Amino acid sequence: MRAAAAGPMADAQYILPNDIGVFSLDCREAFRLLSPTERLYAHHLSRAAWYGGLAVLLQTSPEAPYIYALLSRLFRAQDPDQLRQLALAEGLTEEEYQAFLVYAAGIYSNMGNYKSFGDTKFVPNLPKEKLERVILGSKAAGQHPEEVKSLWQTCRELMFSLEPRLRHLGLGKEGITTYFSGDCTMEDAKLAQDFLDSQNLSAYNTRLFKGVLEDGKPCYEVRLASVLGAEPALHSEMTSKLKSYEFRGSHFQVTRGDYAPILQKVVEHLEKAKAYAANSRQEQMLAQYIESFTQGSIEAHKRGSRFWIQDKGPIVESYIGFIESYRDPFGSRGEFEGFVAMVNKAMSAKFECLVASAEQLLKELPWPPAFEKDKFLTPDFTSLDVLTFSGSGIPAGINIPNYDDLRQTDGFKNVSLGNVLAVAYATQREKLTFLEEEDKDLYIRWKGPSFDVQVGLHELLGHGSGKLFVQDEKGAFNFDQETVINPETGEQIQSWYRSGETWDSKFSTIASSYEECRAESVGLYLCLNPQVLEIFGFKGADAEDVIYVNWLNMVRAGLLALEFYTPETSSWRQAHMQARFVILRVLLEAGEGLVTVTPTTGADGRPDARVRLDRDKIRPVGKPALERFLRKLQVLKSTGDVAGGRALYEGYAAVTDEPPECFLTLRDTVLLRKESRKLIVQPNTRLEGSEVQLLEYEASAAGLIRSFSERFLEDGPELEEVLTQLATADARFWRFPSEAPSGQA
């Protein structure tokens, strides 16, 4: 594959800047309060999470595992300070070496060479020839010349290439993904989803590989993630599924064993964690996760998730598996993640008050009672300080599990990640873009508190609300067909979910963003309720400021979202940001000067823009507009009306250059003034005798690299070998006939 040049002049969109913000996750106090047994439990769960997180390299791009292995070898032999001496001697400037450190920190942070937020590729911001001199002159290359040279030759072209197809994650000609082989199209993805639905198999822990049979017919391998492979096993619920199928004229083969050696490490540490579980629910939960990762069974993961939901208010909270489907271009395969965190009691008390008010607050939402769950299953809602979060990125809040059937019948848990939010709050006034001067101090003062309120409402009452109308396999409905009326049409319900269909499988490519938009809208709508603000300790003028900054933040986020829109393919690359743009459009459409976005010229003479929100019009104009929009979103979701849902959502998500806003032109301004997402340095835990130590690192690119160098002290080389072997075994799936090989594996 010919690599488009990507030296120091690479488009700013595809590099991480040298002054990128790097912050450390602070969990020292929460960890100090754990008992020795709780620390051991947290340690082994953290190890399981970090091992499993390596699978994300294989879920991102063909070259990511090789880049990771190469960097890990370099920094194991020489830490960033030692390597700096070599780099400067080889003719790199301080800036170029810093650019390399930032690139390496970015690879570790995102678990691959595509940003977890926006799915855009990032490349080293220094000449390839100079980086080559550092790599081949390194101590690692001196110790293992053939291996280091081979790794570099395998990934150097793809590491720097900004060929159009490689700039973003996507399916077919739209981008690169390793959830599917390179020749898969959206049609293949749809066919595979229909096949999976027909067999009652979940896509969460699968990848899809396409081939051609001798008779020219397509054949597809659906590969499940598991420790066990093709070897004969004791009968389990999975063994009967592992066979060949004919489906709509195509051949499907269900196999397993994806990421097997990595999941073996996960299982070993889950087994060890079991010995330190606080109760039998945690033991049963871990036993089911072990079964799930061993056999490749999502049903076992669901059983584990049931025990997890029942384990209310644990001191050490965790979740692990193939969870979020944001990065699958089709929207149904889960990226591996695992987190371990400790309860923050003060903020959790506020969330408990919110949970206690939830049934009352649900009645305030703008849809008829029949569109709400029959019974609100009171969830756990805790504020946690994260010890470990493996995967491609760290969210500020989570509402899980994502299994629709469990959410409707067993409930869910909400977590707000307090020490992650603290990093998100950190805002420098001079870096605040697109706000009026008079709004900036207010924004800085109230962004944190308003974000707490928004995250609480978004997770608990956004994701936690609403009912899906379902007809089960026996033909029974979970709603009254005679009496339930669609408030948008005034008629009886015409559509619903059939057995085996889920929200993700039905709404596929828009499911994640649509649901994020619904949850964000619920947050904006309910933050107007004085009772909610009182729970968080805000009254009077303070409460009004929290509302204003929460709405202002959403409007500004809608403008910033344009960074994640790709005009060439008319597509969005980030679900949350697309959702915020949609809300901006809804509020602009409300009119009456509620929201305005005005192009201006900055003090530096370059294009700029200002967003304004009229705080006196939030209730009389903004609230009714949001009410109408929310009702439509929920009704279309409840009834499984994909055509109606797509028409509504894609209509608002369309980005054009039509006046008055001229969004495509504004996008250029946003790109000109964008700030890179912060990198987060996480601690390690180490077992010394029978005691667990917490190891912390400085908030810098070098500190982040050190944290990863010390993460796999015992078995780093073995893991890198495993990753490159797994990548090489599947490399053929991303070689395209039209391309000459150029060193990539």
Side-chain angles (χ1 to χ4, degrees), residues 399-441:
N399 173 290
I400 36 183
N402 286 330
Y403 305 119
D404 293 331
D405 46 352
L406 261 66
R407 298 172 66 79
Q408 301 280 324
T409 57
D410 295 73
F412 52 88
K413 278 188 186 181
N414 294 279
V415 294
S416 171
L417 304 176
N419 55 347
V420 179
L421 283 168
V423 169
Y425 301 159
T427 307
Q428 294 167 285
R429 196 180 196 281
E430 61 274 14
K431 287 193 171 180
L432 259 186
T433 50
F434 308 127
L435 291 180
E436 296 287 4
E437 279 303 313
E438 62 265 26
D439 279 334
K440 287 185 179 178
D441 291 332

Side-chain angles (χ1 to χ4, degrees), residues 76-93:
R76 187 182 308 110
Q78 290 166 288
D79 80 9
D81 290 341
Q82 293 166 333
L83 203 57
R84 172 179 273 107
Q85 304 314 312
L86 167 74
L88 298 179
E90 290 286 358
L92 273 73
T93 64

Side-chain angles (χ1 to χ4, degrees), residues 201 224-229 231-243 245 254 256 288 290-300 303:
L201 274 171
L224 311 178
S226 67
V227 175
L228 294 176
E231 66 273 13
L234 293 171
H235 181 76
S236 76
E237 63 195 337
M238 295 313 299
T239 45
S240 61
K241 305 272 190 190
L242 303 171
K243 58 182 184 187
Y245 302 79
V254 177
R256 67 179 174 184
Q288 291 297 334
I290 289 164
E291 172 79 358
S292 171
F293 299 141
T294 303
Q295 300 286 351
S297 163
I298 289 293
E299 286 305 314
R303 292 193 292 272

Side-chain angles (χ1 to χ4, degrees), residues 516-538:
E516 290 306 325
C517 186
R518 197 181 69 88
E520 291 283 42
S521 301
V522 166
L524 283 188
Y525 185 76
L526 288 179
C527 83
L528 298 171
N529 185 311
Q531 180 194 349
V532 167
L533 294 167
E534 217 164 294
I535 287 169
F536 285 89
F538 307 118

Side-chain angles (χ1 to χ4, degrees), residues 319-598:
Y319 197 58
I320 190 167
F322 296 89
I323 313 298
E324 301 293 355
S325 56
Y326 301 124
R327 296 183 98 194
D328 168 12
F330 187 71
S332 61
R333 283 153 193 79
E335 181 174 87
F336 193 96
E337 71 179 43
F339 79 83
V340 185
M342 290 87 54
V343 172
N344 174 322
K345 293 200 166 91
M347 185 51 100
S348 295
K350 292 178 183 175
F351 288 141
E352 279 166 25
C353 293
L354 190 64
V355 170
S357 311
E359 286 200 74
Q360 204 46 49
L361 291 169
L362 282 171
K363 294 173 184 167
E364 309 266 323
L365 292 172
W367 48 77
F371 286 74
E372 197 43 74
K373 292 186 183 73
D374 303 337
K375 184 176 187 305
F376 182 70
L377 299 153
T378 309
D380 233 12
F381 197 166
T382 44
S383 176
L384 303 173
D385 284 338
V386 171
L387 168 67
T388 296
F389 206 116
S390 77
S392 66
I394 312 181
I398 326 173
N399 173 290
I400 36 183
N402 286 330
Y403 305 119
D404 293 331
D405 46 352
L406 261 66
R407 298 172 66 79
Q408 301 280 324
T409 57
D410 295 73
F412 52 88
K413 278 188 186 181
N414 294 279
V415 294
S416 171
L417 304 176
N419 55 347
V420 179
L421 283 168
V423 169
Y425 301 159
T427 307
Q428 294 167 285
R429 196 180 196 281
E430 61 274 14
K431 287 193 171 180
L432 259 186
T433 50
F434 308 127
L435 291 180
E436 296 287 4
E437 279 303 313
E438 62 265 26
D439 279 334
K440 287 185 179 178
D441 291 332
L442 199 68
Y443 183 88
I444 288 169
R445 165 78 184 82
W446 292 107
K447 183 189 175 188
S450 73
F451 207 32
D452 283 334
V453 173
Q454 180 67 12
V455 168
L457 294 171
H458 171 117
E459 299 297 348
L460 175 66
L461 296 157
H463 292 314
S465 64
K467 176 174 177 169
L468 302 183
F469 294 155
V470 178
Q471 181 182 23
D472 66 20
E473 65 278 4
K474 293 174 184 155
F477 290 88
N478 68 344
F479 65 98
D480 189 329
Q481 284 183 284
E482 298 299 316
T483 60
V484 177
I485 299 297
N486 181 328
E488 294 295 308
T489 63
E491 297 170 359
Q492 289 179 327
I493 303 303
Q494 307 289 328
S495 57
W496 48 83
Y497 296 79
R498 317 270 166 186
S499 173
E501 288 182 331
T502 66
W503 162 249
D504 275 339
S505 71
K506 218 165 157 55
F507 281 72
S508 68
T509 52
I510 65 164
S512 290
S513 183
Y514 188 112
E515 175 57 13
E516 290 306 325
C517 186
R518 197 181 69 88
E520 291 283 42
S521 301
V522 166
L524 283 188
Y525 185 76
L526 288 179
C527 83
L528 298 171
N529 185 311
Q531 180 194 349
V532 167
L533 294 167
E534 217 164 294
I535 287 169
F536 285 89
F538 307 118
K539 291 181 183 175
D542 284 357
E544 290 304 308
D545 283 345
V546 167
I547 291 169
Y548 176 64
V549 170
N550 196 30
W551 280 59
L552 180 64
N553 188 43
M554 189 63 70
V555 168
R556 176 176 179 260
L559 179 62
L560 294 175
L562 288 166
E563 176 193 338
F564 301 95
Y565 178 76
T566 308
E568 295 78 11
T569 55
S570 303
S571 62
W572 285 90
R573 303 189 310 277
Q574 216 291 325
H576 297 78
M577 297 312 277
Q578 179 182 9
R580 289 162 191 165
F581 176 77
V582 166
I583 292 171
L584 171 62
R585 288 281 314 274
V586 169
L587 297 179
L588 280 165
E589 195 182 78
E592 297 188 45
L594 170 69
V595 174
T596 53
V597 183
T598 315

Side-chain angles (χ1 to χ4, degrees), residues 667-685:
R667 178 180 175 273
D668 295 335
T669 306
V670 169
L671 286 175
L672 187 68
R673 300 195 176 272
K674 79 184 181 79
E675 190 188 349
S676 288
R677 198 167 169 81
K678 297 160 182 157
L679 302 180
I680 295 181
V681 183
Q682 298 187 55
N684 283 321
T685 54

